[in-house]
Amino acid sequence: MASSVGTTSETPESGSAPEAPGSSARRGRVRGRRAAIMAVPAVAITAGLAIMTAEGALGAQFAISGMPFTVTAESLDGTGFEQFGGLDNMADNSPNAGDTGGQVLVVTSAIKSATLSKLCQSVDLGGTNLKIEAGSGERKVEATDLTTDSTEMSGNAAFRNIEIGNDASTLTKAGVKGPLGVFSQQADTVHIDTLRQTNYATTAGVFKLPGLKLSFSSKAC
């Protein structure tokens, strides 16, 4: 933008009237103002999407691959926990849809902030597994605004100030709201030992993976 604001001069074409002094600078300023005005709606839309996502109006909706992946952790500690049912959708004509119609019934777990020790994630690629490991040393994996869409979950869990039977659209602990009329639960804190999940989607606002190791392995998590 700076190069267009009165920093260049051109020779008038033959027969054209010479420009008045300063007209190039004025024209540059007009172009600059127009560009700024055009940028305002884009910034407003981006900010609006961020706000709606934080409030759970949009959730973490995207087309899933339809390939489940396994997540395990020695332990998980979370503050601000919510859980409710939902549907994940695959891309149109996904080869992984099978007879599901491209939809997977999932349980969405949302945690405002979480730490995990000895995290492992693996996905079966057919004969080999793509594996990610982190948090095996002194530093734990850290996540904020974490959501997981799971079909299976196991472990030894403990909750503080749990509420069971809420309408998912009224949840307040993790900043995410589920669908109206859907059964849900929430708690101030959650602790899970020997966590194991089968997931179809995971999202996080921030995900810190100390000691990250990515590899192909014959063994899943």
Side-chain angles (χ1 to χ4, degrees), residues 12-189:
E13 296 181 2
S14 177
S16 63
E19 293 184 354
S23 63
S24 178
R26 286 196 299 272
R27 190 167 61 249
R29 286 194 294 271
V30 169
R31 284 198 295 266
R33 285 196 295 271
R34 287 176 179 170
I37 291 170
M38 291 174 65
V40 169
V43 173
I45 291 170
T46 302
L49 288 174
I51 292 169
M52 286 190 289
T53 300
E55 293 178 347
L58 295 180
Q61 296 299 318
F62 55 85
I64 63 171
S65 69
M67 298 176 64
F69 55 96
T70 299
V71 175
T72 65
E74 184 178 72
S75 66
L76 176 150
D77 286 283
T79 300
F81 171 81
E82 300 174 358
Q83 198 170 64
F84 53 89
L87 281 173
D88 280 353
N89 296 280
M90 301 178 203
D92 291 342
N93 303 313
S94 171
N96 300 318
D99 58 359
T100 66
Q103 291 187 319
V104 179
L105 181 64
V106 296
V107 174
T108 296
S109 302
I111 304 177
K112 190 63 179 175
S113 62
T115 58
L116 304 95
S117 62
K118 296 185 179 180
L119 174 70
C120 181
Q121 175 182 300
S122 64
V123 58
D124 186 353
L125 300 179
T128 189
N129 295 278
L130 176 61
K131 182 185 287 189
I132 295 174
E133 298 171 280
S136 296
E138 293 183 1
R139 295 176 57 199
K140 295 183 178 182
V141 171
E142 299 178 21
T144 60
D145 298 320
L146 175 68
T147 68
T148 59
D149 288 359
S150 312
T151 53
E152 294 183 22
M153 180 185 297
S154 64
N156 300 308
F159 303 90
R160 182 165 63 86
N161 294 334
I162 191 169
E163 302 170 1
I164 301 173
N166 309 62
D167 188 294
S169 68
T170 67
L171 296 175
T172 59
K173 302 292 186 180
V176 176
K177 296 185 185 300
L180 178 66
V182 171
F183 181 94
S184 69
Q185 60 184 8
Q186 64 177 0
D188 287 346
T189 65

